[in-house]
Amino acid sequence: VQLQASGGGLVQAGGSLRISCKAPRTITSVFNSNDWGWYRQAPGKQRELVASITNNGILNSADSVKGRFTISKDSARKTVYLQMNSLKPEDTGVYFCNALRGGTPSYDWGRGTQVTVSS
């Protein structure tokens, strides 16, 4: 299973962007029971978890994005979102989504979406 993220683009510093990740049909039956996370891989750096949401809606985010990024999910659409506000150049990177099990990614990494923030 691979999850495909979409909605990235080029935005100026201070701007906003919302990216999304729709669960493929093969896992829609377990969408609600999964925890979900958004990861970011900046150029030359390792992939890091920036925001997560548990199956019962508890949110967590990395200190670097706290107060600016919000993860959410739409159970009817089987889609996970990341609303990114007050974007900074250091937010630039490829963003991926994945289900989490015990805090670790559950599925193969799919195609991420590129977010580029210009100064």
Side-chain angles (χ1 to χ4, degrees):
V1 175
Q2 292 186 337
L3 294 140
Q4 311 299 339
S6 62
L10 174 64
V11 63
Q12 288 189 333
S16 297
L17 206 59
R18 189 178 78 159
I19 57 178
S20 61
C21 176
K22 184 174 175 58
R25 287 184 181 180
T26 50
I27 64 169
T28 54
S29 63
V30 297
F31 179 87
N32 289 333
S33 61
N34 278 332
D35 298 342
W36 291 92
W38 279 100
Y39 290 76
R40 172 173 71 198
Q41 187 163 21
K45 295 188 177 181
Q46 288 191 334
R47 196 171 296 168
E48 61 172 341
L49 180 65
V50 295
S52 63
I53 183 168
T54 66
N55 58 3
N56 55 3
I58 296 173
L59 308 181
N60 277 292
S61 59
D63 288 344
S64 59
V65 306
K66 204 174 292 289
R68 300 187 298 119
F69 289 13
T70 303
I71 186 173
S72 63
K73 62 180 180 177
D74 185 328
S75 297
R77 290 183 167 85
K78 304 293 188 273
T79 300
V80 184
Y81 301 98
L82 185 67
Q83 177 67 44
M84 303 181 289
N85 299 327
S86 302
L87 281 159
K88 304 175 181 181
E90 51 264 43
D91 295 321
T92 293
V94 182
Y95 285 72
F96 302 85
C97 71
N98 212 320
L100 300 174
R101 189 166 300 164
T104 59
S106 294
Y107 302 117
D108 294 334
W109 292 107
R111 186 184 66 242
T113 188
Q114 176 72 46
V115 173
T116 303
V117 185
S118 63
S119 57

